[in-house]
Amino acid sequence: MVLDEIGAYLAANGIGTVGTDLFLGFLPDTPDAAVAIYETGGMEPYRAMRSSAGQPVAERPSIQVVCRNVAYEYQTARTTADSAWKLLEGLGDTTLAGVRYLWAAAVQSPFLMGRDDSGRVLIAFNVDLVKAMS
């Protein structure tokens, strides 16, 4: 699953610990400083000429990474987002948790998404991925 694979990759490279301050598919109220990865719409798969239907050669999922920190700690959330962005943008042919990822491309640089109900800053960015069928 994309979230598990990308989450493990980010954790292995210093962007939190899955289940402690790095969350897959949700962002709990605590801790204040946390990162969440969400699946987003993605694009149609890559197809090849085949003798039967339903045989794509690669998937094109997409994700959103959201970094949160306490109120008035914009720079800390931004630094975390920048670090995650640099790990994912342009990631080339690599295997993550046994799944081959062919490409990762950031849709934009990290941006201020806003603040939550507690005034905590939210910095986000989106990434398009290309992965081999698994």
Side-chain angles (χ1 to χ4, degrees), residues 60-79:
R60 294 179 17 180
S62 61
I63 60 170
Q64 182 176 65
V65 178
V66 178
C67 301
R68 179 179 71 199
N69 212 311
V70 298
Y72 310 110
E73 283 294 326
Y74 175 90
Q75 192 56 48
T76 304
R78 178 60 192 235
T79 298

Side-chain angles (χ1 to χ4, degrees), residues 12-70:
N13 286 281
I15 307 294
T17 301
V18 175
T20 300
D21 57 358
L22 174 59
F23 301 95
L24 310 178
F26 71 103
L27 184 58
D29 287 336
T30 59
D32 287 328
V35 175
I37 308 168
Y38 299 100
E39 290 179 286
T40 57
M43 299 182 72
E44 75 278 358
Y46 286 124
R47 298 173 184 89
M49 298 297 284
R50 303 232 182 187
S51 60
S52 62
Q55 306 246 344
V57 295
E59 294 180 73
R60 294 179 17 180
S62 61
I63 60 170
Q64 182 176 65
V65 178
V66 178
C67 301
R68 179 179 71 199
N69 212 311
V70 298

Side-chain angles (χ1 to χ4, degrees), residues 1 5 9 15-16 34 43 48 50 57 66 69 76 83 89 94 97 104 112-113 115 120 122 127 133:
M1 182 171 159
E5 296 148 9
Y9 173 71
I15 307 294
M43 299 182 72
R50 303 232 182 187
V57 295
V66 178
N69 212 311
T76 304
S83 295
E89 164 48 29
T94 191
L112 176 62
M113 189 169 157
R115 294 185 182 272
R120 297 174 293 194
L122 301 167
V127 178
M133 297 304 297

Side-chain angles (χ1 to χ4, degrees), residues 102-115:
L102 305 167
W103 186 248
V107 175
Q108 74 282 101
S109 295
F111 63 92
L112 176 62
M113 189 169 157
R115 294 185 182 272

